[in-house]
């Protein structure tokens, strides 16, 4: 299997290269930033790209944005993200489309050579490798999602709101009274923690949360 490595820390990059080579990978390229990663994947078309989440120049989300681009432009290339900490937004972004050939591990896992090598092989072969701490964090986030508080009927009402329906349109669709729709919508606002405020349009905010655009 062929691999490309992107990591701005020279020492860690050398360590990852050594581990993968010992595991039977051919390391085609090793780079220190996201631009270099994208160029290397374009050139070598590796089986897997292993990348840090935060890299130059901004040290924010360059690595994960590159990984998402690779998944879009080269779906045959698996991606394995390495991070110093659990950054759930990045994990959710990477896993939202397709979990095949995707991995997200904390950098400390690299120290366990056999575990890391096995995870890389699994991801390169089309499997998934998620750090237990990443899984735990995503589960906590999911269980605390205010959308889970909605009843099935309230979710239907919110879906219709997201589709642009007015209260009268929702009432006609569900064959209920306008008053029943208003009651459902007020319940939705309460369960999504959207109190009355002149500066905010609660209907729009509720739809944005349903679509995953607004922060919880």
């Amino acid at each position: 299997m062929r691999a490309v490595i992107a990591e701005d820390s020279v020492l860690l990059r050398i360590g990852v290269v050594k581990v993968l080579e010992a595991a039977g990978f051919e390391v085609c390229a090793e780079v220190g930033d996201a631009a270099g990663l994208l160029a290397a994947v374009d050139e070598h078309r590796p089986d897997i790209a292993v990348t840090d989440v935060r890299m130059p120049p901004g040290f924010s989300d360059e690595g994960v944005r590159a990984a998402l681009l690779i998944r879009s432009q080269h779906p045959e290339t698996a991606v394995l993200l390495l991070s110093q900490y659990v950054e759930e937004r990045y994990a959710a972004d990477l896993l939202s489309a397709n979990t095949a050939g995707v991995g997200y591990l904390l950098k400390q896992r690299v120290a366990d050579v056999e575990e890391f090598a096995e995870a890389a092989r699994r991801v390169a072969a089309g499997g998934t490798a998620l750090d237990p701490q990443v899984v735990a964090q995503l589960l906590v986030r999911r269980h605390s999602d205010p959308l889970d508080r909605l009843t099935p009927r309230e979710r239907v009402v919110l879906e219709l709101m997201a589709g642009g329906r007015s209260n009268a349109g929702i009432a006609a669709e569900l064959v209920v009274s306008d008053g029943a729709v208003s009651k459902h919508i007020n319940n939705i606002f309460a369960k999504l923690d959207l109190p009355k405020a002149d500066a905010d349009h609660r209907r729009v905010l509720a739809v944005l949360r349903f679509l995953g655009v607004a922060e919880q």
Side-chain angles (χ1 to χ4, degrees):
M1 292 185 178
R2 304 166 72 243
V4 165
I5 314 299
E7 168 59 58
D8 64 286
S9 169
V10 176
L11 289 178
L12 182 56
R13 186 166 72 236
I14 291 173
V16 172
V17 170
K18 295 297 184 184
V19 170
L20 292 183
E21 288 180 338
F25 284 86
E26 175 192 349
V27 178
C28 306
E30 48 180 290
V31 300
D33 55 39
L37 171 62
L38 293 174
V41 170
D42 284 339
E43 178 181 355
H44 299 287
R45 304 297 175 91
D47 297 292
I48 186 171
V50 181
T51 178
D52 189 5
V53 167
R54 300 184 175 190
M55 289 191 295
F59 292 97
S60 57
D61 60 355
E62 290 82 0
V64 75
R65 285 192 286 112
L68 291 168
L69 194 57
I70 290 168
R71 296 295 286 165
S72 174
Q73 297 181 346
H74 304 286
E76 72 284 358
T77 297
V79 295
L80 175 56
L81 283 180
L82 297 178
S83 180
Q84 190 71 36
Y85 310 101
V86 177
E87 298 174 276
E88 62 185 55
R89 179 170 65 85
Y90 299 146
D93 288 345
L94 190 63
L95 295 168
S96 61
N98 187 355
T99 58
V102 170
Y104 191 113
L105 299 178
L106 296 183
K107 288 183 176 181
Q108 66 197 48
R109 303 296 175 189
V110 180
D112 189 327
V113 173
E114 292 185 5
E115 180 181 343
F116 177 70
E118 174 56 30
R121 289 193 199 97
R122 186 163 65 252
V123 173
T128 303
L130 297 178
D131 194 285
Q133 291 187 42
V134 173
V135 174
Q137 192 70 24
L138 290 176
L139 286 174
V140 167
R141 179 182 182 180
R142 176 59 185 163
H143 289 161
S144 64
D145 189 343
L147 289 172
D148 291 338
R149 305 171 188 165
L150 303 183
T151 66
R153 177 49 65 99
E154 289 164 355
R155 289 190 69 91
V156 170
V157 170
L158 186 50
E159 288 175 10
L160 292 171
M161 288 168 58
R165 300 288 186 90
S166 64
N167 283 19
I170 294 172
E173 177 73 20
L174 300 180
V175 194
V176 297
S177 68
D178 287 355
V181 172
S182 295
K183 182 177 179 180
H184 284 313
I185 291 176
N186 285 332
N187 287 340
I188 290 169
F189 292 157
K191 291 179 180 180
L192 296 185
D193 301 319
L194 295 172
K196 279 188 176 181
D198 293 338
D200 297 321
H201 196 308
R202 291 194 293 171
R203 195 182 188 94
V204 173
L205 290 175
V207 168
L208 290 176
R209 289 199 178 174
F210 175 69
L211 297 175
V213 176
E215 293 293 331
Q216 302 298 335

